[in-house]
Amino acid sequence: MRIGDIGLAVPVVLAPMAGITNTAFRRLCREFGAGLYVSEMITSRALVERTEASMRLITHHPSEQPRSIQLYGVDPATIGEAVTMLVAEDRADHIDLNFGCPVPKVTKKGGGAALPWKVELFRAIVERAVKSAGDIPVTVKMRKGIDSDHLTYLEAARAAEGAGVSAVALHARTADQFYSGHADWDAIGTLKQTINSIPVLGNGDIWSAEDALNMVAHTDCDGVVVGRGCLGKPWLFGDLAAGFRGEPLRHRPGLREVAGAFRRHAQLLVEFFDGEEIRACRDIRKHVAWYFKGYPVGGELRAALARVESLQEIDDLVGQMDLDQEYPGDGAEGPRGRAGSPKRTALPDGWLDSTELSASQRHTLLEAEVDSSGG
């Protein structure tokens, strides 16, 4: 699969996930497999203002090639400035635009999954990004729409294709669904039938290599985007690479391999946080349940891992495990991360009354240019 001038031997993309897909996690996933590994979502206004957090998030390790950054924004001019900066300073080889975030603090101001409803604004943002990027490929990630009565993905994809993007990715849920229920793979198939000049990528409910292969067979999409399925399971990218090559190899890790990956992740986080070990350990805590899902580690040990403040503490706790335990089977498989429950998407007042922006909504969008982050 090709995204602009980027050739991918394996048609797999790591989905941007807030607080997850930093340099440390991307490097770890790369060590297991192949694909395109995208940064956390970065707010275009914060990037233009060069905030400390945004500058950290756009930093790639020298081993990361190609370098992929996802931007969020609601103003064409600001998006243009952010893209121009990334290109001029040679900080990215690929730029993705986020139109899929369902988090209330984003959608209630008209951003993320709410934005494609305003068709001309969506078009203006994408056109400005593509123009500012020059030869750097720009892609778009979106959801089906706000809810089942306000679907936007087909019209938005056509607009993005016309603006010159290099690929479109669809998370086959509405914003109202959040991460609940099942992804509508039929919608991915419909999008593929609608868009044929650029790759169409499918996202949603990929927990294994077999899920990815089944999605491609069901929808005829060109590649897959993997999010929650790799939480605590970076070796999934090795399984995906083997699966797309037609090879039977699958990781069935025993506890020793899982604990080793967890420790490696923590070490990479120390590097990411410039040697601040306590900060890295606080970050790794949220990964404990994902890594050890299905393994008989014990509640007290899990709780202790979720309080670690040093690599030595991790080593001491891992030393208490029976590392000779084998892969536990189905208990380690299946969905990961919080699905949440369906909920009405938070939107600006009168947002659904028209696909055109009102004066008050334009003002609301200005407030959306804050350092927000979502999935």
Side-chain angles (χ1 to χ4, degrees), residues 20 33 38 40 42 48 50 74 86 92 114 144 153 183 191 200 225 229 241 245 270 296 312 317 322 344 358 366 371:
I20 303 293
V38 188
E40 298 179 60
I42 299 165
V48 169
R50 306 180 80 91
V74 296
L86 292 173
K144 288 172 57 181
Y153 72 105
L191 180 59
V200 170
V225 180
R245 289 194 299 261
V270 172
Q312 185 60 55
L317 291 169
D322 177 8
R344 186 175 298 278
S358 67
L366 292 177
D371 193 9

Side-chain angles (χ1 to χ4, degrees), residues 227-363:
R228 294 175 298 147
C230 67
L231 295 175
K233 195 177 176 181
W235 47 86
L236 176 58
F237 290 94
D239 291 353
L240 290 163
F244 278 108
R245 289 194 299 261
E247 299 172 359
L249 175 67
R250 298 291 184 272
H251 284 75
R252 300 290 186 265
L255 185 56
R256 188 179 305 277
E257 183 178 355
V258 172
F262 178 78
R263 176 59 164 78
R264 171 68 174 157
H265 191 168
Q267 178 61 56
L268 291 173
L269 282 168
V270 172
E271 294 181 29
F272 175 63
F273 287 117
D274 299 324
E276 294 184 50
E277 194 166 316
I278 189 169
R279 190 174 178 187
C281 287
R282 287 172 178 169
D283 193 88
I284 198 65
R285 294 172 183 174
K286 61 176 172 277
H287 296 268
V288 171
W290 298 326
Y291 271 103
F292 299 103
K293 172 179 163 57
Y295 292 84
V297 171
E300 291 186 7
L301 198 50
R302 289 172 185 269
L305 282 168
R307 297 191 299 267
V308 293
E309 295 190 349
S310 70
L311 295 180
Q312 185 60 55
E313 281 188 65
I314 292 177
D315 292 341
D316 292 343
L317 291 169
V318 168
Q320 298 177 35
M321 297 179 183
D322 177 8
L323 296 177
D324 292 328
Q325 292 182 61
E326 298 182 352
Y327 173 72
D330 291 344
E333 298 296 336
R336 290 160 180 262
R338 294 180 180 177
S341 57
K343 62 188 74 176
R344 186 175 298 278
T345 303
L347 297 169
D349 290 340
W351 190 256
L352 297 178
D353 293 346
S354 170
T355 58
E356 297 181 0
L357 280 174
S358 67
S360 63
Q361 289 166 358
R362 289 184 185 278
H363 177 73

Side-chain angles (χ1 to χ4, degrees), residues 212-228:
L213 298 175
N214 289 339
M215 175 187 279
V216 172
H218 184 85
T219 68
D220 199 34
C221 65
D222 300 285
V224 300
V225 180
V226 179
R228 294 175 298 147

Side-chain angles (χ1 to χ4, degrees), residues 74-249:
V74 296
D75 174 57
T78 307
I79 282 282
E81 286 185 65
V83 173
T84 296
M85 170 191 164
L86 292 173
V87 174
E89 298 179 13
D90 188 26
R91 293 180 177 270
D93 304 301
H94 161 245
I95 295 169
D96 186 55
L97 301 178
N98 181 301
F99 297 105
C101 179
V103 174
K105 70 177 180 179
V106 172
T107 60
K108 72 180 180 181
K109 294 180 179 178
L115 195 144
W117 179 250
K118 303 299 183 181
V119 180
E120 292 310 312
L121 174 61
F122 173 86
R123 190 191 312 275
I125 289 173
V126 177
E127 287 179 346
R128 181 64 68 89
V130 171
K131 181 178 180 180
S132 300
D135 295 331
I136 301 294
V138 174
T139 59
V140 165
K141 187 170 185 284
M142 65 184 78
R143 286 189 172 231
K144 288 172 57 181
I146 294 171
D147 56 40
S148 59
D149 294 321
H150 300 87
L151 300 178
T152 57
Y153 72 105
L154 293 179
E155 187 169 7
R158 284 190 287 260
E161 181 183 33
V165 302
S166 297
V168 293
L170 177 65
H171 182 167
R173 288 180 170 89
T174 62
D176 271 15
Q177 286 181 273
F178 215 70
Y179 296 98
S180 66
H182 296 287
D184 178 12
W185 288 5
D186 288 342
I188 299 171
T190 300
L191 180 59
K192 176 59 182 175
Q193 293 171 5
T194 303
I195 304 297
N196 50 42
S197 69
I198 54 177
V200 170
L201 309 177
N203 178 215
D205 295 349
I206 294 178
W207 313 110
S208 67
E210 282 63 40
D211 290 334
L213 298 175
N214 289 339
M215 175 187 279
V216 172
H218 184 85
T219 68
D220 199 34
C221 65
D222 300 285
V224 300
V225 180
V226 179
R228 294 175 298 147
C230 67
L231 295 175
K233 195 177 176 181
W235 47 86
L236 176 58
F237 290 94
D239 291 353
L240 290 163
F244 278 108
R245 289 194 299 261
E247 299 172 359
L249 175 67

